[in-house]
């Protein structure tokens, strides 16, 4: 019997709070499952990129009342499928991405 150990994903404490409906994420390599299992290259899913959500802004402002926000669907700790181009940046030597909540197309299973 093989004992499979999954990596536990902890939400890093970054000193950044996104504005509006933006979210900060850490990209999950394509050869890794949502639970942290590593899949061989020849069997890796070539679907949309996945990201681990680190921080989320307050949401998009409503048209009728600019003081109110429509909250983001993504929440810190979620593993999500992404669409579109993200802005990559480095913070404390680690790479992160910044993308709008509307570019999140699905939550990954077991995420």
């Amino acid at each position: 019997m093989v004992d499979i150990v999954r990596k536990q994903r902890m939400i890093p404490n970054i000193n950044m709070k996104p504005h509006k409906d933006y979210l900060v994420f850490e990209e999950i390599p394509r050869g890794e499952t949502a639970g942290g299992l590593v899949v061989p290259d020849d069997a890796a899913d070539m679907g949309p990129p996945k990201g681990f959500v680190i921080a989320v802004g307050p949401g998009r402002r409503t048209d009728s009342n600019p003081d109110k926000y429509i909250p983001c669907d993504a929440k810190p700790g979620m593993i999500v499928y992404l669409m579109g181009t993200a802005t990559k940046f480095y913070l404390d030597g680690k790479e992160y991405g910044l993308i709008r909540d509307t570019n999140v197309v699905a939550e990954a299973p077991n995420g």
Side-chain angles (χ1 to χ4, degrees):
M1 181 176 221
V2 177
D3 187 23
I4 298 174
V5 178
R6 292 183 177 201
K7 288 193 287 183
Q8 294 293 323
R9 291 199 178 273
M10 300 297 291
I11 300 173
N13 187 12
I14 63 171
N15 192 19
M16 173 183 255
K17 178 71 174 162
H19 284 246
K20 300 180 184 174
D21 62 339
Y22 283 93
L23 57 96
V24 176
F25 69 94
E26 182 180 345
E27 190 167 354
I28 297 172
R30 289 189 187 260
E32 187 176 316
T33 67
L37 298 174
V38 177
V39 180
D41 289 339
D42 57 348
D45 177 28
M46 296 309 290
K50 288 184 274 190
F52 180 70
V53 180
I54 307 294
V56 180
R60 184 172 45 90
R61 291 180 189 240
T62 62
D63 293 332
S64 60
N65 186 350
D67 293 333
K68 290 194 175 187
Y69 290 92
I70 299 170
C72 295
D73 292 329
K75 304 290 180 231
M78 290 175 81
I79 295 176
V80 295
Y81 289 102
L82 305 166
M83 173 186 72
T85 304
T87 302
K88 304 287 178 150
F89 66 95
Y90 289 88
L91 186 64
D92 296 329
K94 193 160 189 176
E95 184 179 58
Y96 296 99
L98 186 68
I99 199 165
R100 285 186 172 267
D101 183 60
T102 54
N103 289 71
V104 173
V105 293
E107 182 179 355
N110 300 324

